[in-house]
Amino acid sequence: MPNTVSYRFHRIFWSIYFALTIGVIGILFGYLLTFAIYLVAVLFTPWQWASDRIRYAGEYVQCLAIRFLLKIQPWLRCETNLHDIVGFYDRYKTRRIIFVANHRSNLDTFLLISYIPGLRGLAKRSLFYNIFFAPFMVVAGFIPVEKGSPNSLMVGLKLLRDRLLLRNRSVLIFPETTRCDKGFPSVNKFGSAFFSLAIESRALVVPLSIQGTDQVMGRGDLFIHPFQPVKINLLPAVDASQYQDAVHLRDSVWGQVKAAL
């Protein structure tokens, strides 16, 4: 990638533009409006059917808001076979799904939640101490974990099972547990604990492969590298209920992701 004055200016300009559009559209619609909808869903918890329908509406609003936010980013070049938002889960006939993806950049989660409604997962505990983000994280159903703590991770996985998967809510995990090095051409090994969770909850595992996001904003990047190609592929689902060994399930999913890169 070039390192000219002009290119550095473009990096800073598009990074500021991205931050400003997140501040206006992302916070207003992706955060405040969906927080209000999720809060209503929580209040309707005694009436499960109504609560679920209200929560689904919030998920679609959030997903559409972030999708629109990304559509007005001229620097983003993302190719994907993920398209429909409304009716997304109809093809699977369940929402008890663990979406599994390789992890290349901080952009990965942002991109995926713009295509897949209702994604939740584990989040750094520090975010739950943020007065602005904490209410949304709690109401939306994210699970706090302590970074670098295996015990915290195991507790978090149990909560993912009990609070989300067994209530037919989809989750997103990055089983590499950290971002790969910039320019890494393959995928690091997956942790088997995530796939034990899938077997225990009898969930559907849907792999996703992500390419190029590390070239846009990889480890150590403060500003984006605009106009770099990104590719996200939705891969064939794997029924975890057909497996008894988490290692075999892990290797099957890992093999799919690796082959797609």
Side-chain angles (χ1 to χ4, degrees):
M1 284 178 280
N3 194 30
T4 63
V5 172
S6 174
Y7 184 70
R8 288 198 296 269
F9 170 78
H10 278 87
R11 288 189 64 196
I12 295 170
F13 175 82
W14 289 117
S15 297
I16 293 172
Y17 173 84
F18 187 36
L20 288 176
T21 51
I22 289 175
V24 177
I25 298 169
I27 290 177
L28 184 60
F29 295 101
Y31 177 85
L32 293 177
L33 181 56
T34 52
F35 171 72
I37 297 172
Y38 285 147
L39 184 58
V40 172
V42 170
L43 295 175
F44 274 79
T45 298
W47 303 275
Q48 194 60 51
W49 186 88
S51 178
D52 287 344
R53 296 308 178 276
I54 295 168
R55 181 176 286 105
Y56 297 161
E59 293 171 355
Y60 289 134
V61 168
Q62 182 183 43
C63 198
L64 287 166
I66 298 173
R67 177 82 67 92
F68 175 73
L69 175 62
L70 294 180
K71 280 187 177 294
I72 60 171
Q73 306 300 319
W75 55 268
L76 183 62
R77 298 286 186 265
C78 184
E79 177 188 342
T80 182
N81 60 350
L82 286 159
H83 296 293
D84 297 334
I85 293 177
V86 177
F88 177 87
Y89 290 99
D90 292 348
R91 75 194 79 179
Y92 300 116
K93 302 187 185 332
T94 182
R95 283 176 172 254
R96 188 180 296 186
I97 300 174
I98 300 177
F99 291 93
V100 174
N102 59 310
H103 199 13
R104 311 192 71 86
S105 167
N106 285 331
L107 289 174
D108 295 343
T109 303
F110 200 76
L111 287 168
L112 291 176
I113 63 176
S114 76
Y115 287 105
I116 305 173
L119 283 186
R120 300 166 179 84
L122 305 176
K124 290 187 294 186
R125 187 176 296 277
S126 58
L127 290 173
F128 290 79
Y129 300 137
N130 183 304
I131 193 170
F132 187 72
F133 288 108
F136 177 82
M137 303 292 284
V138 171
V139 171
F142 285 87
I143 307 296
V145 292
E146 206 70 56
K147 187 176 180 180
S149 169
N151 288 337
S152 181
L153 174 62
M154 296 311 295
V155 171
L157 290 177
K158 287 185 66 176
L159 291 174
L160 275 183
R161 181 194 64 197
D162 296 340
R163 293 184 183 178
L164 298 176
L165 288 169
L166 295 184
R167 296 181 182 180
N168 292 315
R169 299 177 191 173
S170 60
V171 301
L172 169 66
I173 61 170
F174 296 110
E176 293 170 284
T177 71
T178 188
R179 290 169 293 164
C180 69
D181 292 330
K182 192 169 185 177
F184 183 57
S186 186
V187 56
N188 292 308
K189 282 295 183 183
F190 289 169
S192 60
F194 301 100
F195 299 92
S196 295
L197 167 71
I199 293 172
E200 289 171 10
S201 57
R202 301 180 67 82
L204 201 63
V205 178
V206 177
L208 298 134
S209 67
I210 302 175
Q211 296 171 270
T213 51
D214 55 318
Q215 299 299 323
V216 179
M217 182 178 278
R219 276 186 167 185
D221 284 335
L222 179 60
F223 301 111
I224 62 173
H225 292 274
F227 307 108
Q228 301 299 316
V230 169
K231 188 174 183 179
I232 300 174
N233 270 335
L234 181 72
L235 303 172
V238 179
D239 186 355
S241 68
Q242 302 302 309
Y243 287 78
Q244 295 182 339
D245 185 350
V247 172
H248 288 163
L249 175 58
R250 177 200 67 187
D251 291 346
S252 174
V253 174
W254 183 85
Q256 274 205 59
V257 174
K258 185 176 186 298
L261 296 175

